Amino acid sequence: MARTLPALGVGVVVVLAGVALATMRVNPYLYFAGYVILQYVVIATAWNILGGYGGYVNFGTPAFFALGAYTAVFLIRSIKAPLPVLIVAGGLVAALLGLGIGYLTLRLRGTFFSIATLALSVVLQTMIINWEYVGGSRGISVIRPSGPPFGNYVVFLFTVMLGLAVVAVLVARFIERSWIGRGLAALRDNEEAAECMGVPTLRLKLFATTISGFLLGVAGAPFPYYVTFVEPNSAFALDYAVNALAMPMIGGTTSWVGPVIGAVLLGTTQQLATVTISSELNLLIVGVVLVAFVVLAPEGILGLVRRVRGRI
Amino acid sequence: PVARAADPIKLGFGMALTGGLSANGKPALLAVEIWKDDVNKKGGLLGRPVQLIYYDDQTNPSTVPGIYTKLLDVDKVDLVISGYGTNLIAPLMPIAMERKLTVMGMFGLANNEKYQYPNYFQIQPAGPDPQTSTAIGFFELAARQNPKPQTVAIVGADAEYPQNALVGARELIKRYGLKTVYDKTYPPSTVDYTPIVRAIKATNPDIVFVASYPPDSVGMLRAAHEVGLQPKIFGGGMVGLMFTTVMTSMGSMLNGVVNYDFWAPEPPFLAIPGIKEFLKEYQARAEKAGVDPLGYYLPPYSYALVQVLGQAVEATKGLDQQKIADHIRATEFNTIVGKVKFGKNGEWAKGRTLMVQYQKISGNSIDQFRGPGKKVVLYPDEFKSGNLIYPYAAALK
Amino acid sequence: MRNVDAGYGAVRVLHGVSIEVREGETVALLGTNGNGKSTLIKCIMGMVSPEAGEVFLETDGTRVDLTRRSTEEIVSLGIALVPEGRRLFPKLSVEENLLLGAYRKAARADIQTNLEFAYEAFPVLRGRRAQLAGSMSGGEQQMLAVARALMSSPRILLVDEPSVGLAPILVSRVIAKIRELKERRHLTVLMAEQNFNQATKIADRGYIIVHGKIEFEGRSTAELRENELVKKYYLGV
Amino acid sequence: MSDALLQVEGLTKRFGGFLALNQVSIAVKPGERFGLIGPNGSGKTTLINCVSGSLPVDGGHITFDGRDITALPAHRRTRLGIVRSFQIPKPFTSMSVLDNLGIPLENAAHGRGADGADAMQILEAIGLAAKAHLRPAGLTQIEMRKLELARAMAARPKLLISDEAMAGLSSAEVDDILTILFRLNAQGITIIMIEHIMRAVMRFSERIVVLDAGERIAEGTPDEIVRNPAVEKAYLGE
Amino acid sequence: MFSWDLLANAVVAGVLLGGFYAAVSLGIGLIFGLLDIANIAQPAFVILGAYAAYVMNSAYGLDPILTGIAFTPVFYVLGAVVYRIYYGSFERRGEESLRGLVFFFGILFIMEVSLSLKFGVDYRLVQAGYIGKSFELAGVGVSFRYLVPCVVGVAMTAALYLFLGRTFYGRAIMAVSQDQAALRLMGANPVQIKTIAFGVGIAAASLAGALLITIAPVIPSTDRDYIGRMFAITVLGGMGSIGGTLVAAIILGVIESLMATFFGPSWSLAVSFGILLAALAVRPAGLFGR
Ligand SMILES: Nc1ncnc2c1ncn2[C@@H]1O[C@H](COP(=O)(O)OP(=O)(O)OP(=O)(O)O)[C@@H](O)[C@H]1O
Ligand SMILES: Nc1ncnc2c1ncn2[C@@H]1O[C@H](COP(=O)(O)OP(=O)(O)OP(=O)(O)O)[C@@H](O)[C@H]1O
Ligand SMILES: [Mg+2]
Ligand SMILES: [Mg+2]
């Protein structure tokens, strides 16, 4: 507990700094790129709660993200709900799906669980494609509300996403350092032994899938306002699954810092590659970066740092 | 700072160089590059050279806001055009509106219906009623046949363009008093189309309208041959059949298909000034760029799109976005695809989506597709270059 | 095996160990837990590489150095190991496990006779040939492990603690079986075992290893039985 | 029989068509040292799995401390005081030895006062204190077994089930572990011991039950068991 | 709209499609199912195989399937090289396969981009005498375009089945992920065994790619359509069960075909994956998992 308060303090400072940055209105492009990177901080952190701490590899990240986004689309279309409502609702709906896959863990482990989440993503995408109200396969344009703070809606979204990222990281950090995190680590190492040592494994798994799902949904909820056009192919893009997995791997999965580092690194690389390299080579670079990182930094950046420090 | 005469005019855009739409995005890029070279050869715009700044949008709409903000705020481009395709135009609209830009849309279907932004202009010749534009010629032709077909089957992929085409088709079916006997969609990743085709055949329709992307266009057509589906008219909105690689590979299997198109090497189009030079240049550069070797489908329009923009800049003698837009709205332009006049919502004032029929194709040589006679234009009447072989089975022989 | 030092990483387990097994002998390697029996055997099999000393095989005057060879090569020289903990392939059937035992090139020709021999020696296995090895009980698994090692037509059989985790009745049965096999196949056997009574039932002679050193070499079982160390550790005196 | 701490009645367990346990009943009294023996594959581990909740049962009832626990999940049983060690050690590999104990202390023994000192105390008692900060991968076999026991102790059991904790250990080490178990028993912990090492089982147990092929074939004091002809035939041999 | 005729046709078409799916999934069944290497780049190798078939077909008019067979040694070597890299970077260091997954994602991207740099993004097709032809048997139409891949797929399954069950290498491959040290004791080198298995898995992709381009046009990103299906089939069949792969592939094919015929193709993929979910819930190890 003693270390939670300072962490909260740091979080608040980060958000305030973000707001200050927003009011300063430096180059607007930075907010756009920053938004995407922060969105990946949330996604990677959320994924890591289940995948890194608990050892259950979720391939269905796109499903949760898209569920958050489409919940928002539905609420915007039906009742023009304000952004906070969208975020909470998107999170809750995705959390429900998380709870659902939590029950899958009763029977499925390892690869089987991963493939099941992938299957879930396909099923969900098909449902969205056939649901005309939210645009079906044609997609839907979303009109941003007028008169946002800071003059520009994306600058506003940037600060919102910064806040969400801080919340996600704080949640992850709290989990990691509580009995929940230790219990998850135990069940990651050996589920049967954990259960026999009194760890309520099912409850912990349900908690992890739900909270992970919630945060993934939260990451997706502002997405419609960011792109202003949502369609299934990009909302369910494989990129989210790859990034959600790769970012914590690159950063390091055992600590909350890992996904943040990974998201910032890989996210920035992707953003930079997109807007500096005017050809398909931008994707090649992302591929090479992925390969290079996992080959050269076996335990993630964190592991690398620890090793270098250990040597000195 | 005041722009010096030698400072380039920067034209910025995102383009699908990877992902699902790159087969169209890359040729579009080449066309724009050819235009830039042409313009610069003639001394540029306003005496300043034109420079292109573009990025790969990966056919993913979520990259578009970032790309255009970068273009506008970091690269400080003077003019923007959209990337290729409806889904990539949609996220650009709010940015353009917020910054009051003139934006040229490259093949977007009904993007402006929701926004009604006056400074948006779109080059696909869909006309004032975009939704029905793909199918209108198809059903119009069907209605002219004797005896008039009664029943129709429509089928399409669960994706943006096919779904729009199907919506239009359903409306036209109502308008022409036809009876729908089959109306279903399939996922774009379908591998086997024979069950679908067989189910359609079981309903015994007079006409079959297909709205599909390239892999499914090929799949549907092959399956139709294998299953022996022979309605009186077959085709409609099958994207990809006009791609050179597809045409040469499919060969005679294309015969008889009635399909939408935008351009065909038929006399009415070849007569337009500038087109031959463009195609020559395009075909010379196509292989190196790794794009469609003939460029008969979209590239002329992509070129025309920047032609319009360039002409407007020259005419308004500046880069004032509002003045450029006002000029485009008011003027009829001469381009390599003919006269272009924009109307409601920035669409062509009068639609010009073609309906063509593949005829007398044999073997797989590319050369047969270079000249007239293989892709006969049936609709609209002012571009007509041949007659419909009816019914479909007759064209198969 | 001469003057072998070996260990795992920084931990040195064996200190200057020299042992010798002559053709046709059965030698017991005695020692309580953690004294280095398995490590010694792993050294012979090339699964642990010695830091010093040498391990070699001498047949008909030709001498083959095993120290730098991989486990696969050593196996292909005709040395088979029944490893500690059995190490079966749990998701393969009994028969598949046996057939894998005959992977060594020299054994492939004899595969049918060896298989027949294995089933004859262990009739339970015949009845269970299609069952997955992992679903069998410990005793059955131990038999399978022995049978599998024999499938490679070895000249030398190393056995690491065949009695661990077995019911007493099975321990005697497995030990008896090893003796029987040894006699029928003219094997040279080196067996690591803690169960003194069982080991001495079949051994011609033995070594006692304590803390990675050979503390005693008994030239006969009787000599072993008289040894103070044995009395202290095994006979509970 | 209501004085039993653990009562298993008519327990039946099937794996597919295979009947691993057939109507097995046992009763363990509080404070008892109870031995469970039987040939390999007779169903001992399976019985333990059913009692500890790792496997669902196909029939029968399990009562602990007067409470029917047949349907309780494993971790609840652990919290009630049934703790088992695993025949094949299953340590938490990513944690230090000390943190391995933290898990049961935190999850099963909570409310009974748990902090780092408790864990250290247990490790000292069992002789693992020097290795407290190592990962389990760095332990030897015997240390691994000890960790397995230490972790079970950290759960503060009323009933400790030790499944072949001594297999492969030397007699000195067997004595080590026996001493620990005797000491725990003296503290009032009921212990079920499964073991093939007769010397240990016979010395330790007050009462022994013998399983064979999923059925209970004998029960009695060690002396009675040794003299039982059925047991001799099925298990002891010679 | 139901008729027995349609039903028979749908089932036959589904079985044929299933045979093709089996061909596409065999490589991953071997690499992922038996070696436990989550080679998510496998579909990219299949597409590479498709391009090989395309190149030989368009340049020399070679039959795609012949090309597929002819290229298997090349792909085998390619697979062996990729495995060695993977081995050197991950397995030798004893790292968990999750990082390998990221590695293979990277390979997937690199291969996709390389293909599009080399071949552009146009759809590529092949020509062969049997494409577009069909025959009818007792009222059931059979297209050669699917019959040929199905026959090849079944033959590949049979060959792999025999290879695994009847040869020493095969049995070693089945054992290698269970206990490498024990495999050494049998006299087999696990790294060599895995190299062989990985090579064979990639070689299967050569043939699968040829079948793929026989059926449908291909662009570099076509691989995305198959990732889910391949892994679903492997898991549904039961990891490591080659026969199970074929059965699962046929089940998926028949479901897709029946859905497309009778209920609306739109849901066919979702139903397939829904059934996968249901099957996993009932049999967590897949249909024929050991
Ligand atoms: N992989 C390893 N890494 C580090 N130390 C090891 C390893 N394997 C064994 N040791 C240590 O080496 C020593 C000797 O072990 P070894 O297995 O050879 O003993 P053993 O006599 O066979 O005992 P057991 O009766 O347990 O089989 C022990 O202290 C053991 O802890
Ligand atoms: N999960 C399972 N699936 C199928 N069969 C099983 C399973 N677990 C155990 N068995 C079988 O049940 C029987 C009893 O096994 P169990 O492990 O309880 O024996 P045990 O008495 O503990 O033997 P050991 O003394 O060798 O440890 C054995 O035949 C075993 O093969
Ligand atoms: Mg040993
Ligand atoms: Mg047991």
Side-chain angles (χ1 to χ4, degrees):
Chain A
M1 276 305 109
R3 300 179 67 181
T4 307
L5 274 182
L8 272 176
V10 171
V12 171
V13 170
V14 170
V15 175
L16 288 180
V19 173
L21 190 71
T23 46
M24 269 153 53
R25 287 221 67 171
V26 289
N27 194 327
Y29 168 64
L30 294 182
Y31 301 108
F32 278 76
Y35 173 89
V36 177
I37 293 167
L38 286 170
Q39 168 191 301
Y40 276 123
V41 169
V42 180
I43 290 176
T45 302
W47 181 91
N48 200 48
I49 291 175
L50 183 63
Y53 300 167
Y56 277 84
V57 174
N58 178 4
F59 263 168
T61 323
F64 292 90
F65 179 85
L67 204 56
Y70 272 102
T71 304
V73 168
F74 177 79
L75 291 177
I76 293 168
R77 223 194 130 178
S78 56
I79 56 170
K80 291 205 166 41
L83 189 61
V85 175
L86 301 183
I87 291 172
V88 173
L92 287 179
V93 174
L96 220 58
L97 182 71
L99 193 64
I101 69 158
Y103 280 102
L104 278 182
T105 65
L106 267 179
R107 307 218 47 173
L108 301 177
R109 291 183 191 170
T111 322
F112 295 98
F113 174 78
S114 306
I115 301 295
T117 53
L118 184 76
L120 205 68
S121 182
V122 173
V123 174
L124 208 67
Q125 184 175 2
T126 312
M127 283 160 76
I128 295 290
I129 280 176
N130 286 286
W131 190 14
E132 265 314 309
Y133 188 75
V134 293
S137 52
R138 281 186 289 167
I140 189 167
S141 282
V142 176
I143 295 175
R144 291 176 188 149
S146 48
F150 317 124
N152 177 311
Y153 204 81
V154 173
V155 178
F156 168 62
L157 281 183
F158 167 82
T159 57
V160 169
M161 198 44 95
L162 181 68
L164 294 176
V166 167
V167 169
V169 169
L170 284 177
V171 167
R173 187 176 173 280
F174 173 76
I175 290 176
E176 185 188 320
R177 301 190 170 195
S178 71
W179 71 277
I180 299 172
R182 289 188 289 272
L184 284 171
L187 79 87
R188 175 188 63 207
D189 285 351
N190 193 315
E191 200 161 327
E192 197 186 349
E195 176 77 20
C196 282
M197 288 301 123
V199 178
T201 52
L202 179 62
R203 236 191 304 151
L204 286 192
K205 287 188 292 183
L206 291 179
F207 175 79
T209 54
T210 308
I211 198 89
S212 173
F214 180 82
L215 290 174
L216 288 170
V218 159
F223 179 73
Y225 279 149
Y226 173 77
V227 275
T228 68
F229 175 73
V230 189
E231 53 95 28
N233 281 332
S234 53
F236 283 89
L238 185 67
D239 305 23
Y240 296 111
V242 180
N243 283 336
L245 174 77
M247 287 167 172
M249 287 289 150
I250 285 176
T253 51
T254 49
S255 152
W256 60 272
V257 196
V260 177
I261 294 177
V264 170
L265 257 172
L266 193 60
T268 311
T269 310
Q270 285 169 350
Q271 289 301 304
L272 276 180
T274 306
V275 297
T276 47
I277 301 162
S278 306
S279 74
E280 52 270 75
L281 286 176
N282 72 76
L283 281 187
L284 188 68
I285 292 201
V286 171
V288 170
V289 166
L290 280 187
V291 171
F293 264 117
V294 288
V295 170
L296 300 178
E299 280 160 63
I301 308 280
L302 278 184
L304 207 63
V305 170
R306 270 188 217 125
R307 252 196 304 172
V308 170
R309 271 215 208 128
R311 243 179 242 156
I312 294 166
Chain B
V2 184
R4 277 173 294 126
D7 277 353
I9 292 180
K10 295 183 199 161
L11 172 63
F13 52 95
M15 190 58 76
L17 306 178
T18 54
L21 293 179
S22 51
N24 286 331
K26 287 180 91 172
L29 172 63
L30 178 57
V32 175
E33 276 178 331
I34 292 173
W35 170 81
K36 175 203 74 176
D37 293 343
D38 287 351
V39 167
N40 287 345
K41 238 177 277 164
K42 288 182 207 138
L45 287 181
L46 309 173
R48 293 162 60 186
V50 174
Q51 182 195 352
L52 303 185
I53 301 181
Y54 59 89
Y55 305 116
D56 176 17
D57 64 31
Q58 300 158 25
T59 320
N60 185 344
S62 65
T63 62
V64 170
I67 285 176
Y68 279 88
T69 325
K70 164 82 166 28
L71 286 169
L72 292 162
D73 295 325
V74 180
D75 301 326
K76 309 258 185 244
V77 296
D78 304 292
L79 301 164
V80 295
I81 58 175
S82 83
Y84 171 82
T86 311
N87 289 359
L88 287 307
I89 296 175
L92 173 57
M93 296 298 290
I95 299 173
M97 288 163 68
E98 192 180 293
R99 299 175 185 240
K100 303 195 168 50
L101 300 174
T102 295
V103 58
M104 303 296 296
M106 194 181 285
F107 291 88
L109 210 59
N111 277 105
N112 203 15
E113 248 160 40
K114 204 161 182 176
Y115 297 102
Q116 311 225 333
Y117 177 54
N119 296 358
Y120 168 81
F121 306 97
Q122 198 284 119
I123 198 67
Q124 177 180 336
D129 186 6
Q131 208 112 55
T132 57
S133 66
T134 306
I136 178 85
F138 189 84
F139 286 99
E140 180 67 42
L141 285 168
R144 288 181 198 167
Q145 303 312 311
N146 198 3
K148 193 183 151 213
Q150 299 297 319
T151 55
V152 56
I154 64 174
V155 65
D158 279 317
E160 173 266 321
Y161 161 78
Q163 288 301 307
N164 275 314
L166 287 183
V167 170
R170 286 185 198 111
E171 195 182 317
L172 291 164
I173 287 169
K174 235 183 277 161
R175 198 186 295 171
Y176 287 96
L178 295 162
K179 180 164 169 274
T180 308
V181 291
Y182 184 98
D183 180 353
K184 296 230 155 84
T185 61
Y186 54 81
S189 60
T190 302
V191 177
D192 187 2
Y193 293 91
T194 37
I196 300 174
V197 168
R198 210 168 263 125
I200 292 173
K201 193 183 174 202
T203 65
N204 196 22
D206 290 336
I207 43 180
V208 174
F209 179 88
V210 184
S212 51
Y213 275 139
D216 22 325
S217 299
V218 171
M220 290 294 291
L221 192 50
R222 282 176 170 171
H225 278 258
E226 287 157 356
V227 171
L229 173 66
Q230 292 185 351
K232 295 191 175 106
I233 305 181
F234 178 84
M238 301 174 77
V239 181
L241 294 188
M242 56 293 273
F243 293 175
T244 309
T245 54
V246 175
M247 288 195 295
T248 52
S249 306
M250 297 293 282
S252 61
M253 219 183 270
L254 286 168
N255 281 331
V257 175
V258 174
N259 201 24
Y260 87 103
D261 214 323
F262 297 121
W263 202 90
E266 300 287 313
F269 291 98
L270 292 170
I272 299 167
I275 185 73
K276 283 190 175 134
E277 293 76 4
F278 168 76
L279 288 172
K280 195 163 156 251
E281 179 71 15
Y282 174 94
Q283 287 167 8
R285 290 163 69 165
E287 187 177 327
K288 194 160 162 285
V291 297
D292 189 279
L294 294 180
Y296 286 172
Y297 177 47
L298 300 173
Y301 287 85
S302 305
Y303 187 95
L305 171 125
V306 263
Q307 255 188 316
V308 168
L309 188 61
Q311 288 174 24
V313 169
E314 287 287 9
T316 57
K317 298 196 172 43
L319 294 166
D320 185 302
Q321 298 286 319
Q322 193 56 45
K323 279 188 194 150
I324 293 172
D326 292 340
H327 178 80
I328 296 177
R329 215 174 298 116
T331 316
E332 183 174 70
F333 293 88
N334 281 313
T335 72
I336 62 167
V337 297
K339 293 194 187 316
V340 176
K341 174 86 178 77
F342 295 99
K344 184 183 145 215
N345 286 343
E347 300 291 341
W348 283 41
K350 187 161 177 297
R352 202 187 77 180
T353 305
L354 314 178
M355 209 32 76
V356 302
Q357 186 177 39
Y358 295 88
Q359 295 176 358
K360 302 189 187 75
I361 296 167
S362 62
N364 306 94
S365 93
I366 183 171
D367 288 325
Q368 63 182 321
F369 297 106
R370 290 185 193 276
K374 301 294 174 186
K375 214 163 75 170
V376 175
V377 178
L378 311 170
Y379 180 93
D381 292 336
E382 58 268 41
F383 290 92
K384 193 167 167 195
S385 67
N387 291 315
L388 174 69
I389 305 179
Y390 182 86
Y392 175 58
L396 287 176
K397 181 51 236 97
Chain C
M1 184 161 183
R2 216 172 274 157
N3 292 327
V4 169
D5 289 357
Y8 306 92
V11 190
R12 182 178 290 188
V13 176
L14 297 182
H15 310 272
V17 168
S18 304
I19 63 160
E20 184 182 56
V21 181
R22 282 184 292 267
E23 185 154 2
E25 264 188 336
T26 300
V27 175
L29 187 60
L30 296 162
T32 52
N33 210 251
N35 276 318
K37 302 182 299 290
S38 300
T39 308
L40 195 156
I41 284 184
K42 284 183 191 161
C43 269
I44 300 177
M45 294 308 296
M47 298 161 86
V48 171
S49 49
E51 289 151 31
E54 49 182 359
V55 182
F56 54 87
L57 180 73
E58 231 171 37
T59 33
D60 315 325
T62 48
R63 186 178 152 132
V64 187
D65 185 14
L66 300 185
T67 337
R68 296 273 161 262
R69 291 186 188 248
S70 70
T71 307
E72 303 91 88
E73 286 171 306
I74 292 168
V75 170
S76 64
L77 289 171
I79 305 179
L81 169 66
V82 180
E84 191 173 18
R86 310 190 257 278
R87 307 299 285 268
L88 297 173
F89 302 107
K91 290 184 178 174
L92 295 187
S93 69
V94 168
E95 181 147 316
E96 284 165 337
N97 266 283
L98 288 175
L99 291 175
L100 259 175
Y103 187 90
R104 165 169 109 95
K105 290 243 160 49
R108 294 188 187 178
D110 304 332
I111 194 160
Q112 275 316 322
T113 31
N114 279 340
L115 194 62
E116 205 36 57
F117 180 82
Y119 284 145
E120 191 198 320
F122 302 103
V124 278
L125 298 182
R126 193 193 295 274
R128 308 249 187 153
R129 62 209 293 171
Q131 188 178 339
L132 295 188
S135 72
M136 299 210 305
S137 82
E140 293 157 355
Q141 289 193 12
Q142 189 64 55
M143 293 179 211
L144 178 54
V146 174
R148 186 180 65 175
L150 290 176
M151 287 296 292
S152 73
S153 305
R155 287 179 293 169
I156 304 175
L157 182 68
L158 310 181
V159 188
D160 194 357
E161 300 209 44
S163 69
V164 167
L166 290 192
I169 189 171
L170 286 174
V171 172
S172 13
R173 214 180 284 163
V174 166
I175 297 279
K177 211 71 202 186
I178 291 176
R179 186 195 356 236
E180 181 196 328
L181 296 173
K182 178 213 150 177
E183 273 153 22
R184 284 174 64 182
R185 304 288 292 256
H186 311 293
L187 293 169
T188 305
V189 177
L190 173 64
M191 180 166 78
E193 188 49 86
Q194 325 193 1
N195 189 325
F196 179 81
N197 288 324
Q198 297 295 346
T200 48
K201 266 193 213 162
I202 63 165
D204 299 323
R205 57 190 187 87
Y207 294 91
I208 296 178
I209 179 168
V210 179
H211 297 313
K213 291 198 184 101
I214 300 290
E215 289 289 338
F216 181 72
E217 180 179 348
R219 269 156 301 177
S220 70
T221 43
E223 221 177 285
L224 281 170
R225 218 178 293 269
E226 292 309 309
N227 184 269
E228 286 304 309
L229 282 166
V230 172
K231 283 187 178 158
K232 185 166 147 221
Y233 285 114
Y234 289 105
L235 303 177
V237 179
Chain D
M1 287 291 264
S2 57
D3 58 339
L5 177 68
L6 174 77
Q7 179 141 4
V8 176
E9 278 168 294
L11 192 69
T12 299
K13 176 70 196 171
R14 281 188 198 84
F15 294 111
F18 177 75
L19 190 59
L21 291 176
N22 186 13
Q23 299 279 340
V24 174
S25 300
I26 57 169
V28 183
K29 296 193 205 74
E32 195 173 21
R33 298 191 302 273
F34 185 91
L36 185 60
I37 62 174
N40 299 99
S42 56
K44 302 180 297 294
T45 303
T46 307
L47 177 65
I48 295 320
N49 282 337
C50 290
V51 169
S52 69
S54 298
L55 283 177
V57 304
D58 294 320
H61 286 281
I62 305 168
T63 321
F64 183 72
D65 231 358
R67 176 169 174 191
D68 188 336
I69 57 164
T70 320
L72 281 191
H75 68 273
R76 295 282 306 282
R77 301 187 199 196
T78 307
R79 289 174 181 189
L80 286 176
I82 305 181
V83 181
R84 56 92 56 98
S85 71
F86 287 94
Q87 181 169 358
I88 301 152
K90 296 183 174 177
F92 301 126
T93 46
S94 71
M95 305 176 197
S96 70
V97 166
L98 193 66
D99 291 345
N100 260 276
L101 302 206
I103 296 296
L105 277 171
E106 190 167 54
N107 287 284
H110 60 157
R112 289 173 233 178
D115 55 39
D118 279 17
M120 212 55 204
Q121 216 175 350
I122 295 171
L123 287 179
E124 260 154 29
I126 213 159
L128 272 181
K131 312 263 171 154
H133 298 287
L134 285 184
R135 294 267 173 106
L139 298 186
T140 66
Q141 272 297 315
I142 165 114
E143 287 164 345
M144 207 84 105
R145 301 287 170 84
K146 285 183 174 172
L147 170 59
E148 196 64 33
L149 265 184
R151 205 173 56 176
M153 283 157 63
R156 303 280 182 237
K158 285 185 196 156
L159 171 66
L160 177 66
I161 307 174
S162 134
D163 191 359
E164 297 206 38
M166 304 174 200
L169 301 193
S170 70
S171 41
E173 287 159 347
V174 166
D175 290 343
D176 260 17
I177 304 248
L178 273 179
T179 313
I180 294 168
L181 291 179
F182 270 116
R183 202 165 61 220
L184 288 175
N185 182 247
Q187 291 164 13
I189 297 173
T190 310
I191 294 178
I192 297 180
M193 174 192 278
I194 299 174
E195 211 58 70
H196 287 303
I197 301 175
M198 281 307 104
R199 195 167 63 79
V201 191
M202 295 299 163
R203 212 176 109 198
F204 183 77
S205 313
E206 295 167 330
R207 205 152 52 90
I208 294 177
V209 162
V210 187
L211 288 184
D212 182 29
E215 313 223 11
R216 202 174 102 150
I217 58 165
E219 176 180 346
T221 63
D223 283 348
E224 289 164 1
I225 291 297
V226 177
R227 275 182 263 116
N228 186 322
V231 177
E232 188 168 329
K233 181 161 168 284
Y235 185 60
L236 295 170
E238 284 167 46
Chain E
M1 201 180 66
F2 180 85
S3 78
W4 291 107
D5 184 41
L6 271 181
L7 180 67
N9 271 296
V11 170
V12 169
V15 171
L16 295 183
L17 180 65
F20 164 67
Y21 281 169
V24 176
S25 312
L26 275 181
I28 206 69
L30 190 58
I31 292 173
F32 175 59
L34 278 171
L35 302 187
D36 254 346
I37 300 174
N39 174 18
I40 207 125
Q42 180 78 7
F45 286 100
V46 172
I47 301 304
L48 187 67
Y51 273 96
Y54 159 74
V55 168
M56 301 310 280
N57 184 265
S58 64
Y60 309 105
L62 214 64
D63 180 81
I65 290 162
L66 284 183
T67 312
I69 295 170
F71 269 72
T72 46
V74 180
F75 275 68
Y76 175 87
V77 173
L78 181 65
V81 170
V82 170
Y83 175 71
R84 288 295 170 139
I85 297 173
Y86 173 78
Y87 170 76
S89 321
F90 302 96
E91 285 195 344
R92 202 177 37 184
R93 301 192 199 144
E95 272 151 23
E96 82 291 36
S97 56
L98 217 49
R99 311 190 66 76
L101 194 61
V102 177
F103 170 80
F104 283 115
F105 265 125
I107 299 277
L108 177 90
F109 289 147
I110 292 172
M111 285 184 63
E112 273 183 16
V113 177
S114 308
L115 281 175
S116 79
L117 284 172
K118 176 82 191 88
F119 295 104
V121 289
D122 280 343
Y123 282 91
R124 302 292 176 186
L125 299 83
V126 289
Q127 288 143 33
Y130 41 82
I131 294 176
K133 305 243 164 51
S134 59
F135 65 92
E136 199 158 304
L137 206 85
V140 177
V142 176
S143 347
F144 285 103
R145 190 159 55 97
Y146 290 95
L147 181 63
V148 172
C150 177
V151 169
V152 176
V154 171
M156 284 168 71
T157 310
L160 196 58
Y161 189 82
L162 291 179
F163 170 66
L164 288 178
R166 299 281 164 85
T167 67
F168 285 95
Y169 285 128
R171 282 188 289 263
I173 289 171
M174 294 209 285
V176 72
S177 71
Q178 297 179 34
D179 192 336
Q180 297 205 25
L183 192 60
R184 279 182 191 279
L185 288 176
M186 305 295 106
N189 177 348
V191 178
Q192 182 205 2
I193 294 299
K194 286 190 171 189
T195 308
I196 293 174
F198 205 96
V200 170
I202 299 296
S206 162
L207 206 48
L211 301 178
L212 175 61
I213 199 168
T214 308
I215 288 181
V218 163
I219 52 173
S221 58
T222 304
D223 53 0
R224 306 277 172 112
D225 291 345
Y226 287 87
I227 295 178
R229 280 197 184 98
M230 278 160 100
F231 280 87
I233 287 170
T234 305
V235 168
L236 181 62
M239 296 278 279
S241 166
I242 297 302
T245 304
L246 181 62
V247 174
I250 288 178
I251 289 177
L252 241 64
V254 171
I255 291 169
E256 275 186 34
S257 183
L258 286 176
M259 284 302 296
T261 307
F262 295 113
F263 302 100
S266 191
W267 292 93
S268 59
L269 207 57
V271 170
S272 297
F273 279 77
I275 285 183
L276 168 70
L277 276 179
L280 283 182
V282 182
R283 278 191 67 94
L287 298 177
F288 297 91
R290 282 186 169 181

